[in-house]
Amino acid sequence: MILPLFLSPPNPCTKFSSTRRLLQRSNANNALPNARMRLHDDLLINGYYTTRLWIGTPPQRFALIVDTGSSVTYVPCSSCEQCGRHQDPKFQPDLSSTYQSVKCNIDCNCDDEKQQCVYERQYAEMSTSSGVLGEDIISFGNLSALAPQRAVFGCENMETGDLYSQHADGIMGLGRGDLSIVDHLVDKGVINDSFSLCYGGMGIGGGAMVLGGISPPSNMVFSQSDPVRSPYYNIDLKEIHVAGKPLPLNPTVFDGKHGTILDSGTTYAYLPEAAFVSFKDAIMKELHSLKPIRGPDPNYNDICFSGAGSDISQLSSSFPAVEMVFGNGQKLLLSPENYLFRHSKVHGAYCLGIFQNGKDPTTLLGGIVVRNTLVLYDRENSKIGFWKTNCSELWERLHVDGAPPPAPSSSNGNNSNTEMPPSMAPGDQKHYGLPDEKKIGKITFEMMLNVNYSDLKLHISELAESIAQELGINISQVYILNSMEKGNASYIEWAVVPSGSADCISNVTALSIIARVAEYHMHLPDTFGSYHLINWEIKASAKRTWWQQHFLLVVLASAVTFIFGLLAFGIWFIWRHRQRALNPYKPVDAVVTEQELQPL
């Protein structure tokens, strides 16, 4: 899923007011709360990252694409007959006691009956979304220190193109504009004028986002971002270096049309023609041991190479480093994962994720460029910061670098029934008693599900997937250990194990997982009903013996020895058989055929 930028005709509801931004600066230093939120999915598998929002009273959950190139947040409405089948049920305004439609007024586009405000959006690949505007209480999840807030959003009545076929429910617009959820929260004075995104790396997926301010790490790299230059988030890019050498380009090449734009809703990066040709040539000059191959899709002329191996941490030994140089002289180092994507058909092969932007002189930087990079959109100070980090461990790394945890959640008496209490910050979760001296190898949970066991058995794999999604971990980390019938309910025991090749679960991750389950912040689909936690247990990572550590090596060595021994025996046996055939043994008293004497 790729959602490139598309300039729509001016809309009174979405115009950007630069003077209003200046009025908010008095709140810049206030200790306002922020909303920590998880990111889900994978940039190249799904084409986007999503976060979770809860809308209405009682809350209805939605998975929304985080998009800095859009200014409207919208979800499918129950009245929509031209909406696709998405991840969650459509929003039902009738079931929310706090929903109100936005009545037609002079500041919005109205429907034909002049009754309701409406919105319409069109994207470059011709996807469209349209519907009415509504207002309701929006909650930001259990990690948020920001209490639920009333906000305007789109209740979608029609969608076409990729928006119709995507798995995600809708879009969370983080761009500038009166309908932007960021602008709305800033105008209410509940957050600072800033937000952050942190996309996971190649093959990891997930990540994190923050609505509101955070303390930037000391070594964060900044670029100026001029809100008057373009309606999109732009940076002051001047040069690109490949293997330490600047591309032979005029700096103005990155300033055409809208300039250099950051768009989290776009998957890849797109350069003006001259910049792309220069970048491609510079990369290819540095690839000495790799072999050019065809791309995974015959419909595209992807530039791909094989022979780099599957270990992502070793890609720097095969591919050159790239640097983006900003107008202030600061440099952002790009790892190979920031300009490559995996070849889907050839093991150990990679392709350039940087493409030519047709004849458009705009430089468009999608999510691939900022993988494993915390991007701070400091709108208050008109700058954007970049900090290379492991986004799957962002909270822990920010805490180590001195960033304060979120402020405690302030209660909201009017909407207390819709608030989703946040999990405790990592430093406050001491009552769970994690073993300091042991590495965590497995976390097991026993629970009762309020669902018939025969129904559960049919959807056991879906349950594991839902658990992984709620906990923000990979599906490969969740194992169903046991399940059985308990009257009209179902008993289930499941476990969380380390991801990939890791041999343990970090304490921060373990605390987050336990808190979500134990404090009942894990929301399963209606198919599985509600759950009751019976018990949870942490199991230490077992120390492997010499035999366990070298088992595969010993087996492999034994197999090789056996094969070579068998081969040697076969060769010896064949040789002996041939020797006997050439010199047959004859007993002395054996009868032989009479032969004619030959002259001496």
Side-chain angles (χ1 to χ4, degrees), residues 317-389:
S317 61
S318 300
F319 292 93
V322 174
E323 289 178 310
M324 293 197 306
V325 184
F326 304 129
N328 56 11
Q330 293 191 328
K331 299 178 180 179
L332 174 64
L333 176 65
L334 301 184
S335 304
E337 70 173 347
N338 297 124
Y339 63 85
L340 297 173
F341 66 92
R342 273 201 181 106
H343 197 295
S344 58
K345 296 181 179 179
V346 179
H347 185 71
Y350 300 86
C351 306
L352 279 185
I354 312 291
F355 303 96
Q356 181 179 328
N357 198 12
K359 297 300 180 181
D360 192 332
T362 300
T363 298
L364 180 59
L365 304 180
I368 190 173
V369 175
V370 291
R371 289 199 289 197
N372 270 338
T373 305
L374 173 65
V375 182
L376 171 61
Y377 294 80
D378 186 354
R379 310 188 334 162
E380 182 69 33
N381 298 297
S382 298
K383 61 182 182 180
I384 295 177
F386 303 88
W387 184 53
K388 297 291 292 183
T389 187

Side-chain angles (χ1 to χ4, degrees), residues 388-576:
K388 297 291 292 183
T389 187
N390 185 334
C391 289
S392 62
E393 302 173 358
L394 177 63
W395 308 135
E396 182 179 13
R397 289 172 179 261
L398 279 178
H399 182 69
V400 169
D401 279 58
S409 176
S410 58
S411 61
N412 185 336
N414 296 331
N415 302 318
S416 60
N417 61 327
T418 64
E419 182 175 355
M420 303 180 65
S423 293
M424 301 175 69
D428 297 331
Q429 292 175 317
K430 298 177 182 178
H431 64 281
Y432 288 119
L434 299 188
D436 296 331
E437 73 286 356
K438 296 179 181 179
K439 293 183 177 181
I440 301 174
K442 182 190 292 185
I443 310 173
T444 61
F445 298 91
E446 297 178 66
M447 61 174 57
M448 297 293 294
L449 292 174
N450 187 25
V451 63
N452 187 276
Y453 184 65
S454 59
D455 295 332
L456 175 65
K457 284 196 301 182
L458 298 175
H459 302 92
I460 201 76
S461 59
E462 296 175 24
L463 174 61
E465 184 176 351
S466 297
I467 291 173
Q469 200 169 66
E470 282 295 312
L471 299 182
I473 59 180
N474 294 327
I475 180 61
S476 60
Q477 293 180 251
V478 177
Y479 288 89
I480 305 298
L481 303 177
N482 188 21
S483 63
M484 64 180 68
E485 185 176 5
K486 290 284 187 178
N488 293 327
S490 301
Y491 166 87
I492 187 165
E493 181 184 8
W494 54 277
V496 175
V497 299
S499 62
S501 59
D503 58 0
C504 65
I505 304 172
S506 71
N507 278 25
V508 172
T509 302
L511 283 170
S512 174
I513 291 172
I514 294 170
R516 284 188 66 79
V517 180
E519 297 171 17
Y520 293 90
H521 298 316
M522 186 173 68
H523 299 275
L524 300 176
D526 295 339
T527 308
F528 308 106
S530 59
Y531 73 88
H532 171 69
L533 181 64
I534 301 174
N535 184 40
W536 61 268
E537 182 180 0
I538 290 177
K539 298 186 178 181
S541 180
K543 294 183 178 180
R544 296 189 298 171
T545 63
W546 183 94
W547 172 253
Q548 290 174 322
Q549 293 177 359
H550 301 89
F551 174 76
L552 289 178
L553 184 61
V554 171
V555 170
L556 182 61
S558 300
V560 171
T561 302
F562 176 76
I563 292 172
F564 275 100
L566 192 62
L567 183 61
F569 176 79
I571 293 173
W572 175 82
F573 181 81
I574 294 173
W575 178 79
R576 285 296 304 268

Side-chain angles (χ1 to χ4, degrees), residues 49-106:
Y49 280 108
T50 61
T51 192
R52 304 292 184 263
L53 281 185
W54 286 260
I55 303 176
T57 308
Q60 302 174 44
R61 189 184 76 163
F62 300 95
L64 303 182
I65 298 171
V66 292
D67 187 9
T68 59
S70 300
S71 59
V72 184
T73 296
Y74 53 82
V75 298
C77 217
S78 58
S79 58
C80 183
E81 296 181 355
Q82 298 185 56
C83 290
R85 185 179 181 86
H86 302 298
Q87 183 169 325
D88 298 292
K90 299 173 183 176
F91 177 69
Q92 302 186 56
D94 294 342
L95 297 184
S96 175
S97 61
T98 49
Y99 176 81
Q100 292 180 345
S101 61
V102 179
K103 302 301 182 184
C104 180
N105 60 76
I106 60 173

Side-chain angles (χ1 to χ4, degrees), residues 100-214:
Q100 292 180 345
S101 61
V102 179
K103 302 301 182 184
C104 180
N105 60 76
I106 60 173
D107 294 324
C108 75
N109 291 333
C110 300
D111 59 10
D112 294 337
E113 290 76 26
K114 306 296 181 182
Q115 296 294 318
Q116 285 186 279
C117 291
V118 297
Y119 79 94
E120 183 175 356
R121 288 295 177 273
Q122 183 175 355
Y123 299 90
E125 84 287 0
M126 303 311 294
S127 294
T128 63
S129 172
S130 60
V132 300
L133 294 179
E135 183 180 317
D136 209 333
I137 294 173
I138 295 181
S139 304
F140 306 97
N142 72 297
L143 294 179
S144 173
L146 177 66
Q149 303 289 327
R150 290 198 69 90
V152 174
F153 66 98
C155 203
E156 197 177 39
N157 283 326
M158 186 183 73
E159 58 187 14
T160 65
D162 289 339
L163 293 175
Y164 184 91
S165 58
Q166 71 187 16
H167 187 56
D169 300 311
I171 287 180
M172 181 177 183
L174 300 173
R176 296 186 176 104
D178 289 346
L179 290 181
S180 167
I181 193 167
V182 179
D183 284 58
H184 189 81
L185 296 175
V186 171
D187 287 346
K188 294 181 69 174
V190 295
I191 65 170
N192 290 324
D193 195 3
S194 174
F195 69 93
S196 304
L197 292 173
C198 200
Y199 283 1
M202 186 182 289
I204 297 176
M209 70 177 292
V210 181
L211 295 180
I214 61 172

